[in-house]
Amino acid sequence: MEIRTPRGPAEIPGGLQRTLVQALLVSEGQAIAGDTLIDEMWGESVPENEANALQAHVSRLRRRLKDLEPERPASRLSMHPSGYRLAVASGELDAAHFVALVKQAEVVSATDPGESAALTRAALSMWRGPVFGGHAGGSVCQTAAARYEEYRMRALELFFDAELRAGRHSAILAELHEAHAGNPLREYFCEQLMIALYRSGRQADALDTYRRMWHRLSEELGVEPSPSLRRVEHAILSHHPALSTVGDARSALLETV
């Protein structure tokens, strides 16, 4: 977590204060109940007079925010009947901007692969590692971290799709290998990697990738590959014309079945 101000970057000291800020930020301007914040900050180790303890941290955070923005007329952190709210304007929260870019890329992916690639590339350039540095806190932050991570996965899928449709399969092979290795049960990456390998003249490697995926799914989840993944394997075996160097091979294969 990083806070940027006109005076430069700023930190929120203390683990509990950081957890409080994180929970308020991922709520993206919506109020969050005091009981939820208490559970987020202390979990099962709730202090005595937890309401007073929370209020003390809220007051400390208000003072810190005031120090960071002395010219602001009202505090960003306000109390409402439904809980506490941290005001965040449009464009101020990079996580929200990241999600917006991925959603835009999703909308234009079918009609403008170049724009989709540019949007996802911009979104992925904002990613700096695990959400909250891997220390997500309680259920509120953990749920948000999982949501942001899923958007990152979708951004990668959209980016690889756009590059494959543009015939840049060789250029993304290393990234595809990394994505597949890091997410070995995500079949979409496996499909994309198989197509990229086949288009690069590596049919045997593409089929080996499928066989290893089949064994992994069978041994770890007790399931068979999805119809979509099996369709790509059959297309590679038969040298299906849909596996051309341009266009959306996955959609073309689906339409020919």
Side-chain angles (χ1 to χ4, degrees), residues 24 29-34 37 55 58 62 75-87:
L24 291 165
Q30 300 299 311
I32 181 169
L37 287 173
Q55 186 56 51
V58 168
R62 280 203 183 100
S75 175
R76 285 182 181 269
L77 182 53
S78 56
M79 186 175 181
H80 299 262
S82 54
Y84 295 90
R85 175 180 178 270
L86 185 66

Side-chain angles (χ1 to χ4, degrees), residues 53-112:
L54 174 61
Q55 186 56 51
H57 280 283
V58 168
S59 298
R60 190 181 308 166
L61 179 57
R62 280 203 183 100
R63 290 194 297 271
R64 179 59 175 149
L65 294 174
K66 181 63 175 177
D67 291 340
L68 295 176
E69 297 179 298
E71 71 286 351
R72 191 178 179 91
S75 175
R76 285 182 181 269
L77 182 53
S78 56
M79 186 175 181
H80 299 262
S82 54
Y84 295 90
R85 175 180 178 270
L86 185 66
V88 181
S90 176
E92 289 187 328
L93 184 63
D94 62 346
H97 182 49
F98 168 81
V99 170
L101 286 174
V102 179
K103 289 181 176 180
Q104 291 174 37
E106 184 95 56
V107 171
V108 303
S109 60
T111 57
D112 193 344

Side-chain angles (χ1 to χ4, degrees), residues 188 191 195 226-232 235 240 242-243 248-257:
Y188 204 110
E191 292 180 39
I195 293 171
S226 66
S228 179
L229 186 56
R230 294 200 301 269
R231 193 178 298 118
V232 173
H240 197 290
L243 294 174
D248 186 353
R250 295 179 72 260
S251 297
L253 289 174
L254 183 61
E255 292 171 358
T256 57
V257 174

Side-chain angles (χ1 to χ4, degrees), residues 59-255:
S59 298
R60 190 181 308 166
L61 179 57
R62 280 203 183 100
R63 290 194 297 271
R64 179 59 175 149
L65 294 174
K66 181 63 175 177
D67 291 340
L68 295 176
E69 297 179 298
E71 71 286 351
R72 191 178 179 91
S75 175
R76 285 182 181 269
L77 182 53
S78 56
M79 186 175 181
H80 299 262
S82 54
Y84 295 90
R85 175 180 178 270
L86 185 66
V88 181
S90 176
E92 289 187 328
L93 184 63
D94 62 346
H97 182 49
F98 168 81
V99 170
L101 286 174
V102 179
K103 289 181 176 180
Q104 291 174 37
E106 184 95 56
V107 171
V108 303
S109 60
T111 57
D112 193 344
E115 177 66 9
S116 181
L119 288 167
T120 51
R121 191 181 293 110
L124 292 167
S125 70
M126 300 171 65
W127 199 268
R128 302 182 186 182
V131 183
F132 307 128
H135 303 287
S139 60
V140 171
C141 291
Q142 290 171 11
T143 299
R147 182 169 67 92
Y148 294 138
E149 177 63 22
E150 183 58 33
Y151 272 109
R152 184 176 77 91
M153 292 294 100
R154 186 56 184 144
L156 283 168
E157 291 172 348
L158 289 168
F159 174 71
F160 294 142
D161 271 346
E163 296 294 271
L164 287 172
R165 293 172 76 176
R168 291 191 284 270
H169 41 273
S170 297
I172 61 171
L173 263 178
E175 292 173 277
L176 262 174
H177 271 295
E178 182 179 356
H180 178 51
N183 304 273
L185 296 178
R186 199 173 183 96
E187 292 185 67
Y188 204 110
F189 287 146
C190 184
E191 292 180 39
Q192 293 174 315
L193 178 57
M194 289 168 63
I195 293 171
L197 287 167
Y198 177 81
R199 290 179 174 180
S200 300
R202 297 168 59 182
Q203 180 183 11
D205 288 338
L207 293 173
D208 183 59
T209 297
Y210 173 81
R211 283 190 291 270
R212 284 187 282 110
M213 185 69 176
W214 187 90
H215 284 297
R216 189 176 293 116
L217 290 170
S218 176
E219 292 175 1
E220 296 188 26
L221 299 181
V223 300
E224 294 186 351
S226 66
S228 179
L229 186 56
R230 294 200 301 269
R231 193 178 298 118
V232 173
E233 187 233 4
H234 293 322
I236 290 173
L237 287 169
S238 63
H239 299 280
H240 197 290
L243 294 174
S244 60
T245 57
V246 293
D248 186 353
R250 295 179 72 260
S251 297
L253 289 174
L254 183 61
E255 292 171 358

